[in-house]
Amino acid sequence: MVHPIVLLGLLMVPYFSGSQAENAFSQYWEEHIGLPHPPHWLTTKASPLSSHQTTMFMKLMEENELNSHLHSFCKQANVACSKNAFVKKTRNDTTLPPIAQWNDAKMKYDLPNKASISVASQGGLPYFRESMVKEGGFMHVPDLRDPMSYKSFLPRYLASKIPFSLAQIKELKKFFGVVDGSNMDDYIQDTLEICEKRPILGEQCTCVTSAEDLIDFVVEKLGHNVCVWSTESVEGSYENVRIGAVKLIYGNLSKPPALCHSQPFPFQVYYCHVLPKVKIYVVEIHARKNVNHVIMACHYDTSTWNPNHLAFKLLGFGPGLIEVCHWINENGLVVWTKAQR
């Protein structure tokens, strides 16, 4: 049993106080990635827990006592197992940060039968043709927010001890206090289905549950010398914007980029995959208040996609007959490419 005085000292550590955790993550980044420092969005999503806090919470977990200190764990780790996890859905449920309808459809990227056209087409198309994005033209842009910006990764060692499979979903929900029928219940189910789905032909994919795992996946697939791309801001969301310059920033079809999608879960999870024949563009959009630079990914090989994929329902045609493009929402969908020399 953890000594009560030691435990009290742990639980009194101020929330988000640990620069030690940030320094440890920055060091891991510098040792593996050929860039001087991690992007700000990734630093903010890295676990705020210090090594001391992690060790103490691990002891509580190993001795089946963490549930008695769940509130403190959730607060210090910045994960979603507060009252939000307990509330059942109602018609006007606002207990969780809103996931825009476009992002909700986008999360079902690989579960096409769950996303309806009526949901996906509200506030801008989630999928479109490359020819629809031309300088001087206009386009309705969907919600560019990161739908899961309110929580952090767990430290790798802690995350590895938490159940993360459909077979263990009951234990997982019990661990975080998630009740049946809540929004979080749906989010967990959807994310685990995406993480356990069979990859399509030519796809390499995984779900990462720590910032270190994210870096390891990128290095394994692309090497140490990489670039990371994300949309500049959320300006232009839900607006009919004027398209400015459209610039190709990565067009090597033989060395595809890695795309990582933020998934709804009690702690930060990214679904990362590598698909063949993808080009990356930066698009200048002129919104009502400011100019934004939005990242756009275009898939030129859709031959192995599900015929019922939402993109084909919205655009017509079918697998292999068209290219399919989509926006990269701010920090919630991130693109990694090989550095071009």
Side-chain angles (χ1 to χ4, degrees), residues 130 133 229 231 246-251 278-283 293-298 300 325-328:
E130 184 181 11
V133 186
W229 310 92
T231 288
V246 180
K247 180 183 178 182
L248 178 68
I249 54 177
Y250 189 81
V278 177
K279 290 183 181 180
I280 307 298
Y281 296 82
V282 60
V283 180
H293 295 88
V294 185
I295 303 300
M296 177 178 78
C298 289
Y300 292 87
C325 302
H326 59 83
W327 302 115
I328 303 295

Side-chain angles (χ1 to χ4, degrees), residues 85-136:
F86 294 83
V87 180
K88 288 196 174 186
K89 290 180 294 184
T90 65
R91 189 167 294 181
N92 298 308
D93 190 357
T94 57
T95 57
L96 284 173
I99 298 179
Q101 289 178 310
W102 175 82
N103 281 324
D104 189 45
K106 197 74 176 63
M107 286 172 187
K108 296 176 175 59
Y109 182 93
D110 292 287
L111 301 171
N113 292 324
K114 288 193 175 184
S116 70
I117 293 178
S118 60
V119 168
S121 60
Q122 294 184 37
L125 287 176
Y127 300 101
F128 45 88
R129 301 291 304 272
E130 184 181 11
S131 60
M132 297 166 67
V133 186
K134 295 295 183 183
E135 185 171 357

